[in-house]
């Protein structure tokens, strides 16, 4: 997974604007932080940054959506599916991503990242095996494809053919919806397929927002310029003004997805 972004201040944004932490707050080596939710480097804070909490929660919301489309929702199966995806995506995928070029600049050792990747993926697979025993063979293809997607996407295997906008939207959007539904029912149906399509496009939108934000945060040395308005006034272009609409949207969407998933789960299971 690990397609992240950032935030800060500027003019009007729907009256009350969402204000994630300022993008110019320094991170490692005095540089802007690698993501809007990144903590100061070192110790447990590196693990917070590595887990990408807003995006991990966002993609776990897809699991809830898929599960809650089932006629009868099993809370135990939903919790197990959430745990499997947290291990595979929240821990495993992000640890592999950090191994591949250290985009977050954490101080977590290479050995620790490798061990966490292996253990988290093994835990996710173990939960999947239990799911096959309970649900049936319909889960087996997903049990095979899931770990392959995590490794191939985050290590950019096969020449990076999977590490694309489409690959991201399929792996971290559509896939959780389908797996969660099959984990509940042992089968597929038109509704979860349509929901997977929705998750695909929402995740594609996430990627379109996070990619330029990461570019500005992690690769831009300086940002300068200006916009001349029709009335002749001039508005400066700087790092903050570029990041605010991108990361403000990501910040708001991550909360929105979590609350929507929570509301859906409460409605189905109470």
């Amino acid at each position: 997974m690990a397609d992240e972004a950032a935030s800060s201040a500027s003019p009007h944004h729907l009256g009350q604007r969402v204000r994630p932490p300022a993008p110019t707050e320094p991170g490692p080596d005095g540089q802007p932080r690698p993501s809007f939710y990144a903590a100061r480097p070192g110790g447990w804070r590196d693990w917070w940054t590595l887990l990408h909490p807003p995006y991990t929660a966002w993609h776990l919301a897809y699991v809830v959506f898929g599960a809650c489309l089932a006629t009868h929702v099993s809370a135990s199966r939903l919790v197990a599916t959430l745990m499997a995806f947290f291990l595979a995506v929240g821990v495993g995928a992000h640890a592999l991503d950090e191994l591949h070029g250290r985009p977050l600049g954490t101080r977590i050792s290479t050995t620790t990242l490798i061990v966490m990747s292996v253990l988290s993926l093994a835990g996710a697979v173990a939960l999947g095996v239990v799911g096959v025993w309970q649900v049936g063979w319909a889960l087996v293809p997903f049990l095979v494809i899931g770990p392959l997607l995590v490794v191939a996407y985050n290590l950019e295997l096969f020449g990076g053919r999977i590490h694309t906008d489409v690959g991201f939207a399929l792996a971290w959007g559509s896939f959780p919806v389908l797996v969660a539904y099959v984990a509940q029912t042992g089968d597929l149906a038109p509704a979860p397929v349509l929901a997977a399509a929705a998750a695909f496009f929402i995740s594609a939108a996430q990627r379109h927002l996070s990619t330029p934000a990461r570019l500005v945060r992690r690769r831009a040395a300086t940002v300068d310029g200006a916009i001349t308005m029709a009335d002749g006034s001039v508005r400066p272009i700087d790092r903050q003004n570029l990041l605010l609409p991108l990361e403000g949207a990501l910040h708001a969407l991550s909360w929105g997805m979590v609350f929507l998933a929570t509301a859906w789960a409460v409605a189905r299971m109470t």
Side-chain angles (χ1 to χ4, degrees), residues 3-6 36 54-55 58 205-207 209-211 213 245-255:
D3 271 79
E4 293 52 88
F36 68 80
Y55 297 126
W58 182 333
Q206 176 189 354
R207 173 91 169 192
L209 291 168
S210 66
T211 297
L246 300 172
E247 296 187 337
L250 287 164
H251 191 255
L253 282 168
S254 65
W255 277 109

Side-chain angles (χ1 to χ4, degrees), residues 187-240:
D187 201 358
L188 272 178
V193 172
L194 291 171
F200 174 91
F201 288 109
I202 295 170
S203 294
Q206 176 189 354
R207 173 91 169 192
H208 289 314
L209 291 168
S210 66
T211 297
R214 289 197 320 277
L215 176 70
V216 172
R217 270 197 180 269
R218 301 178 187 178
R219 298 179 62 187
T222 60
V223 178
D224 59 73
I227 301 174
T228 302
M229 310 303 290
D231 62 3
S233 62
V234 177
R235 296 188 180 186
I237 298 175
D238 58 21
R239 188 184 300 270
Q240 288 182 321

